[in-house]
């Protein structure tokens, strides 16, 4: 009888120990995270002091210091005025790779200066090409800028690619008029066209026949991808029936004309 009465107590005690153990794990995790954040901030500030002592500056330092001088510190308005006086117009290319601090610098100096028409500011970018997150590229900054600019113009002609390739990409990204390939209300695909005058032609040929400008392959796993890529590259280089060029002039495919894009820098064939 004594053992039967004691059993619920042991069960409750075991449950309490389990809960206490989990609470300790959570506490250790929080403490470790806090320590990691404080350590990272200490290292960051220490590196800044060392660079200042040695008279060195990085690209990130340039952005941080200019942002602080223009957007935070007293006297920022005077500095912004001097910069506006030096640059009468600003064109920022590859804007999709801009971060918040850079955008706030530009918008503070030019866009929000209260000056209308005398200092035009152009942001030129394509969110589909934002691939430099490791450099702090921030698509939310791009979308924010899109909402805050006065006018938006779309460059709807592609002067670099062939007409066939442009048509293929339009069909890939927008097979139907209302197709939302990016599943985002802030990011839509806008079809482009080849220029009417002197459009580019050409592409890849096999046995004098033009090949489709865009082909899709399915591979079951990474190993299959590697094998397919190697096989395709070898065929392009070894088979003299493959030619690249246009209707007027074609030549054998050279290794320097083949590009292989990978998801991360460590990936390799």
């Amino acid at each position: 009888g004594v053992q039967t009465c004691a059993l619920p107590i042991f069960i409750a005690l075991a449950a309490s120990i389990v809960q206490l153990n989990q609470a300790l794990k959570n506490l250790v995790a929080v403490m470790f995270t806090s320590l990691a954040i404080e350590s990272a901030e200490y290292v960051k500030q220490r590196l800044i002091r060392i660079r200042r002592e040695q008279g060195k500056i990085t690209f990130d330092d340039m952005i941080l210091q200019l942002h602080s001088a223009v957007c935070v510190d007293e006297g920022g308005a005077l500095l912004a005025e001097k910069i506006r006086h030096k640059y009468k117009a600003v064109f920022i290319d590859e804007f999709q790779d801009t971060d918040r601090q850079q955008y706030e610098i530009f918008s503070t100096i030019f866009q929000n200066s209260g000056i209308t028409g005398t200092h035009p500011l152009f942001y030129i970018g394509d969110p589909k090409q934002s691939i430099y997150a490791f450099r702090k590229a921030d698509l939310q900054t791009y979308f924010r800028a899109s909402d805050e600019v006065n006018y938006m113009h779309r460059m709807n002609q592609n002067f670099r690619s062939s007409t066939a390739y442009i048509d293929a990409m339009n069909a890939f990204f927008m097979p139907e008029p209302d197709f939302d390939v990016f599943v985002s209300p802030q990011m839509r695909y806008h079809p482009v066209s080849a220029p009417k005058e002197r459009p580019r032609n050409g592409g890849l040929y096999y046995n004098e026949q033009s090949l489709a400008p865009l082909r899709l392959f399915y591979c079951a796993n990474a190993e299959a991808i590697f094998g397919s890529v190697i096989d395709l590259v070898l065929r392009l280089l070894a088979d003299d029936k493959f030619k690249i060029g246009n209707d007027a002039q074609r030549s054998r495919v050279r290794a320097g004309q083949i590009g292989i894009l990978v998801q991360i820098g460590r990936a390799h064939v």
Side-chain angles (χ1 to χ4, degrees), residues 12 23 59-60 74 81 92 122 144 168 171 207 210 243:
F59 289 110
D60 282 343
E74 294 184 7
E81 182 181 354
I92 304 173
F122 292 86
R144 173 186 169 188
N207 199 21
S210 177
K243 299 290 178 63

Side-chain angles (χ1 to χ4, degrees), residues 1-248:
V2 175
Q3 294 179 349
T4 303
C5 294
L7 183 59
I9 298 176
F10 284 118
I11 293 176
L13 180 61
S16 299
I17 293 175
V18 171
Q19 293 177 357
L20 179 60
N21 183 53
Q22 185 60 49
L24 288 173
K25 288 182 178 180
N26 294 339
L27 178 60
V28 170
V30 171
M31 293 177 62
F32 180 81
T33 301
S34 178
L35 179 61
I37 294 173
E38 292 181 7
S39 299
E41 182 63 23
Y42 172 80
V43 171
K44 174 184 175 182
Q45 296 301 326
R46 179 59 179 160
L47 288 174
I48 291 175
R49 288 196 298 270
I50 291 175
R51 288 197 298 270
R52 286 177 178 174
E53 292 170 358
Q54 296 179 353
K56 296 179 179 179
I57 188 171
T58 66
F59 289 110
D60 282 343
D61 291 337
M62 294 172 62
I63 296 172
L64 290 172
Q65 292 179 22
L66 183 57
H67 180 271
S68 178
V70 171
C71 305
V72 180
D73 297 348
E74 294 184 7
L78 179 60
L79 177 58
E81 182 181 354
K82 290 184 177 297
I83 295 175
R84 281 195 300 271
H85 181 74
K86 183 176 182 179
Y87 299 101
K88 299 302 182 182
V90 177
F91 292 77
I92 304 173
D93 200 6
E94 306 294 351
F95 184 71
Q96 73 276 354
D97 296 324
T98 304
D99 62 18
R100 177 186 60 83
Q101 291 176 325
Q102 294 179 65
Y103 172 63
E104 290 179 355
I105 292 171
F106 301 132
S107 61
T108 298
I109 296 175
F110 297 100
Q111 186 174 326
N112 301 327
S113 63
I115 299 175
T116 305
T118 58
H119 291 71
L121 171 63
F122 292 86
Y123 301 124
I124 306 167
D126 180 356
K128 299 190 302 300
Q129 300 181 38
S130 184
I131 59 175
Y132 293 111
F134 67 95
R135 295 182 183 173
K136 301 181 182 180
D138 181 12
L139 271 180
Q140 295 306 315
T141 295
Y142 180 94
F143 296 142
R144 173 186 169 188
S146 299
D147 293 335
E148 294 180 355
V149 295
N150 296 325
Y151 305 99
M152 183 177 292
H153 306 275
R154 303 196 186 281
M155 295 184 287
N156 56 4
Q157 283 192 333
N158 183 335
F159 293 87
R160 295 181 176 179
S161 305
S162 66
T163 302
Y165 187 75
I166 293 172
D167 292 340
M169 294 306 295
N170 284 334
F172 176 78
F173 281 106
M174 188 172 283
E176 299 292 339
D178 58 347
F179 188 80
D180 185 5
V181 66
F182 299 109
V183 196
S184 170
Q186 296 175 295
M187 191 171 174
R188 299 284 297 178
Y189 180 78
H190 300 276
V192 297
S193 61
K196 295 181 179 180
E197 297 183 3
R198 301 177 63 183
R200 288 179 176 266
N201 59 50
L204 187 65
Y205 297 80
Y206 186 77
N207 199 21
E208 303 303 324
Q209 297 296 316
S210 177
L211 299 179
L214 178 64
R215 292 190 176 193
L216 303 179
F217 297 87
Y218 171 78
C219 297
N221 49 52
E223 184 178 354
I225 294 175
F226 293 157
S228 297
V229 170
I230 293 172
D231 179 67
L232 179 58
V233 170
L234 291 176
R235 288 183 57 198
L236 289 171
L237 297 177
D239 192 338
D240 61 3
K241 293 182 181 180
F242 280 109
K243 299 290 178 63
I244 191 170
N246 51 42
D247 294 338

